[in-house]
Amino acid sequence: MLFLGLLAGCAQTQYRFQYHGAQDQRVWPPEPDVARYRFVGFIYGESNLKKVEGSTGFFRKGVNWLGELIFGEEVPRHLHRPQSGVMDDKQQKLYITDVGKKSIYVFDLKSGKVDIWEGIDSDRNFYAPIALCLMGDEQLFVTDSERGLVLRFDLEGNFLDQHGENVFSRPTGIACDSVANRLYVADSVKHNIVIFDRQGNVLNTFGGKGEGKGKLNSPTHLSFNDGKLFVSDTLNARVQVFDADGNWLNSFGERGMYVGNLPRPKGVAVDSHGHIYVVESFYDHLIVYDSKGQGLLPIGGNGNQPGQFYLPAGVWVDANDRVYVADMFNSRIAVFQYMHNP
């Protein structure tokens, strides 16, 4: 009986995921306008995991206390320079690239765990992981801009293969079309977009440096939605929209000094209602557009309060129209909820 009691006392401590700052219920636009977006909270890292009361047995508590006495309290691992991310809605796992830590953070929102992938295997670390996308519910593709490769993993972090040898100079943005099994990758140095099939064969390349329709100047982030590819044409100060084969459809955005202009667009994403989200990194804003590229709402300004950013990078949306912004120099992810029925 004593042995069984000790085993019970050794039970694994359980955690649950909790947003920082969730008590702040700030909305946009503010009153008297109808609120469309609500602040959900911040994601920093392991400090988002809270112990479930009563889940730590007395024996484990003693071991933890002794370890802290000898080695000091363990410091939670946090994001440093998050770039982009994607949500696996089925498994409720959030994958985030961190170029500062040269790692991918994996937040398991159901079980309250954080895993950190540091590279391809024990001998090959990431150099500069920038963006990632999910192909169906079984594979994750990651761009490593310094390696000049697209790396393919299963959802547990096991390396499968790589694409793009002798193709890229600096791959950055990436988007997956799980229906047609196509992969789109932006090359910020070659100023083009490369389309691959699922096996890594090049199907098409389009773009090329220029300012005209369909031409690009340092494209960064990508998003694929409803048969359309959205490209942050960063140094052309606009977002361009192409069909699945790379044919130009339209564009929006321009240089300027006012909120709503796009002097440095970075992350781009589309929700289930057709709203287009663009990170404008020069003035630290997230700008919401309608499906035609007409500006609807800015959220942002420089700072560290809810709704403020410091050199934001990527943006992505989950199946519930939660909007995630990689707030890079604030070392966090800011999360907002689109309010369907405000």
Side-chain angles (χ1 to χ4, degrees), residues 13-40:
T13 303
Q14 296 178 4
Y15 295 85
R16 60 182 174 84
F17 180 85
Q18 180 175 300
Y19 289 101
H20 284 285
Q23 68 276 8
D24 190 321
Q25 295 294 298
R26 205 165 306 195
V27 296
W28 293 267
E31 293 182 345
D33 294 321
V34 176
R36 297 295 179 182
Y37 292 88
R38 174 178 59 82
F39 175 67
V40 174

Side-chain angles (χ1 to χ4, degrees), residues 169-182:
S169 290
R170 190 174 182 83
T172 49
I174 191 169
C176 290
D177 175 4
S178 297
V179 176
N181 288 323
R182 285 183 170 186

Side-chain angles (χ1 to χ4, degrees), residues 286-298:
L286 173 69
I287 304 178
V288 186
Y289 296 86
D290 67 15
S291 60
K292 297 180 181 179
Q294 297 296 313
L296 297 176
L297 176 70

